[in-house]
Amino acid sequence: MKPQLNETHDASLRSWVASANTGNTDFPLQNLPYGVFRRAGSDEQFRLGVAIGDQILDLAAARVAGIFSALENKEFDKAILGDKLNSLMSLAPAVWSQLRLALSRALRLGASAQAALQSCLLAQSEAEYALPAQIGDYTDFYTSIHHATAIGKLLRPDNPLLPNYKWVPIGYHGRSSSIAVSGQEFRRPLGQTMPPGASAPVFGPAKRMDYEMEIGIFIGNGNALGDAIPMQEAEQHVFGLCLLNDWSARDMQGWEYQPLGPFLAKNFASTISPWVVTIEALAPYRSAWSRDAADPQPLPYLESSDLRDSGAFDIALEVLLQTAAMRSSGTPPQRLSLSNFRHSYWTVSQLLTHHTVNGCNLRAGDLLGSGTQSGPQPEEAGSLMELTQGGKKTITLANGEQRLYLEDGDSIVMRGWASKDGAARIGFGEVLGTLLPARSE
Amino acid sequence: MKPQLNETHDASLRSWVASANTGNTDFPLQNLPYGVFRRAGSDEQFRLGVAIGDQILDLAAARVAGIFSALENKEFDKAILGDKLNSLMSLAPAVWSQLRLALSRALRLGASAQAALQSCLLAQSEAEYALPAQIGDYTDFYTSIHHATAIGKLLRPDNPLLPNYKWVPIGYHGRSSSIAVSGQEFRRPLGQTMPPGASAPVFGPAKRMDYEMEIGIFIGNGNALGDAIPMQEAEQHVFGLCLLNDWSARDMQGWEYQPLGPFLAKNFASTISPWVVTIEALAPYRSAWSRDAADPQPLPYLESSDLRDSGAFDIALEVLLQTAAMRSSGTPPQRLSLSNFRHSYWTVSQLLTHHTVNGCNLRAGDLLGSGTQSGPQPEEAGSLMELTQGGKKTITLANGEQRLYLEDGDSIVMRGWASKDGAARIGFGEVLGTLLPARSE
């Protein structure tokens, strides 16, 4: 049961918010992603909003304007009036769909609600954002076989792709406390590393700072402890997707990760985009599941009738770097790579189903990371470790600067979008994060 | 700066709650652990309580009785009137200490508050408990070198203790959503395992169900993202300790855990004791840090002046099994092992300091697990995998039943206590959990 195409996806729809109709905005009327925002610099409570063109529609204000009257009840009102998306996420998918339809109709060119809603808009340029949800648990997967193989070659040259990879959607638990919304600035972490050939580890700032380009998956209504979510129901439990930068300290990771997995190499910061694009908005951009014919068939619990045709999502994923020198000279960020979520070896449904097959409970607002989304070509790699072949192949930027790993003051911007003939182009906005110098020891 | 011995630790103190003075209760006047409780079977809001003998003192009611008048302010009142310990945990250690002193004085034999407090008690036999705190993030460490070596021998016979073990307090993130309070019943998890010699994994109920005897460490006031907690301040950020059973499915763990660590093998259930014993209550039971002379000195950030003398805690840890047959015949649980937290290779302070050295932020109510606390002797092992040498050596129980791993209907009880000449014996109560049959596939 996946969201179906309906009138909200009609590519010909135009909004009375003119900036939504430019063709190159991330937020046309067909998108309608959710976030939480307030006027920048204010101490107002954060409020729920929907991005439309270069504006944000304030949902609490829109409720007063009466556009959700058919939906209003105690639970819905609580969801709309909160300062996080969790309550909205925990409502039934049918309610999400009705809300989307109401928003689509109210924001259309010629809508009678225009007069009442005009005052419910805030320009995105005047807004600041918070984490869209209180994230209870954060799980990070490892769904790009191209990334897993490339990283595996660097960490275990004799054994790059482990025997479980093609059977198990490999994942591990991450840290929720250090996840922040786009704009996060964080210090280069200090920690232990083991220099090549040394007999004892050293302590100091990480030297091999990296980003990871991922899709974040926000859980909607969850499951009770002990229950599982089968494949055919999995997407009913997904509220939407965002962009996720899972910052990594590769030198710390290499020393600490055995046998229990990455820990301090990852948990100092993770950054997500402010807007959550709903699964329903992504319905036009389904894609075939990416598998080689020689790959094993998944075990039955990871199978579904529509897996091969439309299990994946076609979402372009771009990584850009802006160094401190570029920022001060007004040079825009430069692209480092372009990949696509459709290359993922495991689908969103498979991640939810696998995560819960043992009875583990997911809760509204929990975040799953897709793992770094590297494509099959080397230039589609979603991390510097891959692009520089483990810090061996220098990247020379247009302004002459060079990089193997991130340097202090570097900002990474990630963008994502979906487009297709006959459908609107919709985007995820961006996620921006900046590496600051290490704390003095 | 560790809590010092003071009048609340005086072994000669007696309470007007007679059951606190028996000498074998877990909860004499010198303990005063915190939890959240309500009348069993009621739908009352959970309230904060302190265990005293076989009773619980209701803190909100005790506040009305006036025993905290010197402490009352907006933050303190919020903490006392909540339904979780998080707000209390986030107060300053000096406030925790003042609260303990006020409770100690009010509950002493001859206290003028006795008349007013008498009606603020509920018998523990009439109470039910909830998780003491909202646990934001759960981190599990691996601090027993005896456990790490024994498990390592089974998983990697040629390489049991990895090179990082004696340098890095190895830890990983666990799942907070599936942590429940003592009494948890959970289904045997379903999942993938790879049978020996097979060419493809199979799906079904886990066959090698195990427990792990751990200490849980509740974070008090946390640290801001980017800041670190140095060794000498670490215990000021610890609210207290509890018992933790980190249930494990060994056959699933063996197949899934590389390269990112345990995931579904652990996240289906974890159970903690309802009572949190404060760090101050544990002051009399400090112990020397357990290291071999040949072991490397820790890196400077993991050093402190009192590490070797009193870095550890002397806490006895007991695991008992009650099978379904034992339960129906009224046979009490049978001891499987007895170990001690003093054998831990890394101290509580080292865990906090290591966790935050990279700037990772801890929050009030976060839980750290110590990892399985196995002692140096085989019979001190904190898991069945160790006791049965990987499922090869059968355990025969007193009633003739045999075990390699847990069977459906088995209950595991864990207990912990500290005692010392010249100090009272204080205990942690118990943590009980029961394995139910797997969900039908």
Side-chain angles (χ1 to χ4, degrees):
Chain A
M1 293 299 293
K2 292 170 175 170
Q4 300 299 303
L5 289 178
N6 57 46
E7 67 171 78
T8 66
H9 300 101
D10 182 343
S12 69
L13 289 179
R14 296 289 176 273
S15 173
W16 52 261
V17 180
S19 57
N21 307 325
T22 59
N24 63 1
T25 175
D26 277 349
F27 308 120
L29 190 53
Q30 292 81 359
N31 192 348
L32 301 174
Y34 297 97
V36 306
F37 76 102
R38 67 180 176 191
R39 190 173 291 276
S42 76
D43 59 358
E44 295 165 3
Q45 185 187 293
F46 282 93
R47 305 186 297 283
L48 271 55
V50 164
I52 179 75
D54 61 9
Q55 303 289 311
I56 304 168
L57 180 70
D58 181 328
L59 289 186
R63 174 178 163 275
V64 174
I67 67 166
F68 309 132
S69 53
L71 279 163
E72 287 181 33
N73 61 36
K74 197 174 154 192
E75 284 196 335
F76 179 83
D77 293 350
K78 182 186 165 208
I80 292 295
L81 299 175
D83 63 354
K84 292 285 181 196
L85 293 178
N86 297 69
S87 294
L88 179 59
M89 289 168 159
S90 67
L91 297 181
V95 179
W96 304 339
S97 196
Q98 289 161 33
L99 176 59
R100 175 178 164 85
L101 182 60
L103 287 165
S104 173
R105 289 180 175 170
L107 288 167
R108 275 179 214 172
L109 206 57
S112 60
Q114 177 176 355
L117 290 185
Q118 204 89 50
S119 63
C120 306
L121 296 175
L122 179 72
Q124 287 163 26
S125 59
E126 296 175 35
E128 65 185 15
Y129 303 96
L131 276 183
Q134 183 186 327
I135 300 167
D137 278 296
Y138 163 47
T139 302
D140 201 17
F141 284 94
Y142 198 51
T143 68
S144 165
I145 196 169
H146 310 293
H147 172 73
T149 305
I151 294 282
K153 272 184 192 156
L154 296 166
L155 293 175
R156 297 174 303 276
D158 53 335
N159 193 17
L161 197 67
L162 294 171
N164 55 15
Y165 190 85
K166 293 187 175 181
W167 297 98
V168 180
I170 295 290
Y172 70 109
H173 294 112
R175 182 88 194 167
S176 70
S177 70
S178 51
I179 302 174
V181 77
S182 183
Q184 183 174 30
E185 301 184 336
F186 60 92
R187 293 195 172 279
R188 181 184 292 269
L190 299 170
Q192 291 190 34
T193 55
M194 179 63 98
S199 62
V202 297
F203 180 81
K207 294 197 173 81
R208 301 188 159 207
M209 289 299 296
D210 203 352
Y211 57 81
E212 295 195 326
M213 168 74 244
E214 304 196 16
I215 286 285
I217 301 159
F218 269 111
I219 300 301
N221 39 84
N223 60 307
L225 190 60
D227 289 351
I229 299 176
M231 280 287 285
Q232 61 272 22
E233 295 173 17
E235 285 194 13
Q236 298 173 33
H237 295 266
V238 178
F239 183 75
L241 308 185
C242 67
L243 303 175
L244 165 63
N245 185 347
D246 193 41
W247 305 93
S248 300
R250 301 296 182 192
D251 43 353
M252 287 165 49
Q253 185 175 353
W255 173 231
E256 75 171 2
Y257 90 103
Q258 287 187 316
L260 299 182
F263 181 50
L264 298 191
K266 301 275 194 173
N267 67 9
F268 53 89
S270 312
T271 320
I272 65 172
S273 58
W275 296 111
V276 183
V277 176
T278 63
I279 286 290
E280 187 172 357
L282 290 165
Y285 318 102
R286 311 294 315 199
S287 173
W289 186 39
S290 172
R291 283 272 167 137
D292 283 347
D295 286 345
Q297 297 307 304
L299 291 180
Y301 78 99
L302 294 173
E303 274 284 7
S304 72
S305 56
D306 55 0
L307 176 63
R308 281 160 189 76
D309 285 347
S310 59
F313 292 97
D314 184 345
I315 301 171
L317 297 169
E318 182 186 30
V319 182
L320 308 98
L321 167 66
Q322 188 179 45
T323 68
M326 291 163 71
R327 201 162 42 242
S328 46
S329 67
T331 309
Q334 175 177 336
R335 178 185 286 181
L336 294 179
S337 70
L338 180 65
S339 182
N340 196 297
F341 189 36
R342 74 170 182 271
H343 300 307
S344 179
Y345 195 80
W346 299 101
T347 70
V348 170
S349 292
Q350 287 174 321
L351 301 186
L352 265 80
T353 295
H354 181 68
H355 203 318
T356 60
V357 73
N358 69 341
C360 179
N361 56 327
L362 303 178
R363 297 175 293 192
D366 284 352
L367 183 67
L368 314 186
S370 64
T372 309
Q373 292 303 300
S374 299
Q377 301 306 319
E379 65 273 20
E380 294 172 309
S383 72
L384 279 176
M385 187 176 183
E386 293 161 85
L387 289 173
T388 68
Q389 295 170 14
K392 293 188 205 79
K393 188 183 148 200
T394 300
I395 296 172
T396 301
L397 304 173
N399 71 352
E401 288 185 280
Q402 296 190 319
R403 286 294 180 276
L404 288 171
Y405 288 98
L406 296 175
E407 298 195 2
D408 294 347
D410 282 355
S411 293
I412 290 292
V413 175
M414 296 176 177
R415 295 179 186 144
W417 61 89
S419 61
K420 191 181 175 181
D421 283 349
R425 174 196 179 283
I426 67 172
F428 284 72
E430 66 176 36
V431 56
L432 162 71
T434 302
L435 177 63
L436 303 178
R439 192 177 74 241
S440 56
E441 291 175 46
Chain B
M1 293 298 294
K2 293 170 176 170
Q4 301 299 302
L5 289 178
N6 57 46
E7 67 171 77
T8 66
H9 300 101
D10 183 344
S12 68
L13 290 179
R14 295 289 176 275
S15 173
W16 52 262
V17 180
S19 58
N21 307 324
T22 59
N24 63 2
T25 176
D26 277 350
F27 309 120
L29 190 53
Q30 293 81 1
N31 192 349
L32 301 174
Y34 297 96
V36 306
F37 75 102
R38 67 181 176 191
R39 190 173 291 276
S42 75
D43 58 358
E44 296 166 4
Q45 185 186 294
F46 282 93
R47 305 186 298 283
L48 272 53
V50 165
I52 178 76
D54 61 8
Q55 304 289 310
I56 304 168
L57 180 71
D58 180 327
L59 289 185
R63 174 179 164 277
V64 173
I67 67 166
F68 309 133
S69 53
L71 280 163
E72 287 179 33
N73 61 38
K74 196 174 154 191
E75 284 195 334
F76 179 83
D77 293 350
K78 182 184 166 209
I80 293 294
L81 299 175
D83 63 353
K84 291 286 181 194
L85 293 177
N86 297 68
S87 294
L88 180 59
M89 290 168 159
S90 68
L91 297 180
V95 179
W96 305 338
S97 196
Q98 289 161 33
L99 176 58
R100 174 178 165 84
L101 182 61
L103 287 164
S104 173
R105 289 178 176 170
L107 288 166
R108 275 179 212 171
L109 205 58
S112 61
Q114 177 177 354
L117 291 185
Q118 205 88 51
S119 63
C120 306
L121 296 176
L122 180 71
Q124 288 163 25
S125 60
E126 296 175 33
E128 65 184 15
Y129 303 96
L131 276 183
Q134 183 187 328
I135 300 167
D137 278 297
Y138 163 47
T139 302
D140 201 16
F141 284 93
Y142 197 52
T143 68
S144 165
I145 195 169
H146 310 294
H147 173 74
T149 305
I151 294 283
K153 272 184 192 158
L154 295 167
L155 293 175
R156 297 174 302 276
D158 53 334
N159 194 17
L161 197 67
L162 294 170
N164 55 15
Y165 189 87
K166 292 186 175 182
W167 297 98
V168 180
I170 295 290
Y172 70 110
H173 294 113
R175 181 88 194 167
S176 69
S177 70
S178 52
I179 303 175
V181 76
S182 183
Q184 184 173 30
E185 300 184 337
F186 61 92
R187 293 196 172 277
R188 180 183 292 268
L190 299 171
Q192 291 190 34
T193 55
M194 179 63 100
S199 62
V202 297
F203 180 80
K207 293 196 173 82
R208 301 187 159 208
M209 289 298 298
D210 204 351
Y211 57 81
E212 295 195 326
M213 169 74 244
E214 304 197 15
I215 286 285
I217 301 158
F218 269 112
I219 300 301
N221 41 84
N223 60 307
L225 189 61
D227 289 352
I229 299 176
M231 280 287 285
Q232 62 272 22
E233 295 173 18
E235 285 194 13
Q236 299 173 34
H237 295 266
V238 178
F239 183 76
L241 309 186
C242 67
L243 303 175
L244 165 63
N245 184 347
D246 192 40
W247 305 94
S248 300
R250 301 297 180 190
D251 42 353
M252 287 165 51
Q253 185 175 354
W255 172 231
E256 75 171 1
Y257 90 104
Q258 288 187 316
L260 299 182
F263 181 50
L264 297 192
K266 300 275 194 174
N267 67 9
F268 54 88
S270 311
T271 320
I272 65 172
S273 58
W275 296 110
V276 183
V277 176
T278 63
I279 287 289
E280 186 171 359
L282 290 165
Y285 318 101
R286 313 291 317 197
S287 173
W289 186 38
S290 173
R291 283 272 167 138
D292 283 348
D295 286 344
Q297 297 307 304
L299 292 180
Y301 79 99
L302 294 174
E303 274 283 6
S304 72
S305 57
D306 54 0
L307 176 63
R308 281 161 188 76
D309 285 347
S310 58
F313 292 98
D314 184 345
I315 300 172
L317 297 169
E318 182 187 30
V319 182
L320 307 98
L321 166 67
Q322 189 180 44
T323 68
M326 291 163 70
R327 200 162 43 243
S328 45
S329 67
T331 308
Q334 175 177 335
R335 178 186 285 181
L336 294 179
S337 70
L338 180 65
S339 183
N340 196 297
F341 189 38
R342 74 170 182 272
H343 300 306
S344 179
Y345 195 80
W346 299 101
T347 70
V348 170
S349 292
Q350 287 174 321
L351 301 187
L352 265 80
T353 295
H354 181 67
H355 203 317
T356 60
V357 73
N358 69 340
C360 179
N361 55 328
L362 303 177
R363 297 176 292 193
D366 283 352
L367 183 68
L368 314 186
S370 64
T372 310
Q373 292 303 301
S374 299
Q377 301 305 318
E379 65 273 20
E380 293 173 309
S383 71
L384 279 176
M385 187 176 183
E386 293 162 85
L387 289 174
T388 68
Q389 294 169 15
K392 292 188 206 79
K393 188 183 148 198
T394 301
I395 295 172
T396 300
L397 304 173
N399 70 353
E401 289 185 279
Q402 296 189 318
R403 286 294 180 275
L404 288 171
Y405 288 99
L406 296 175
E407 298 195 4
D408 294 347
D410 282 355
S411 293
I412 291 291
V413 176
M414 296 177 176
R415 295 180 186 144
W417 62 88
S419 62
K420 192 181 177 182
D421 283 349
R425 174 197 179 282
I426 67 171
F428 283 73
E430 66 176 37
V431 56
L432 162 71
T434 302
L435 176 63
L436 303 179
R439 194 176 73 241
S440 56
E441 289 175 47

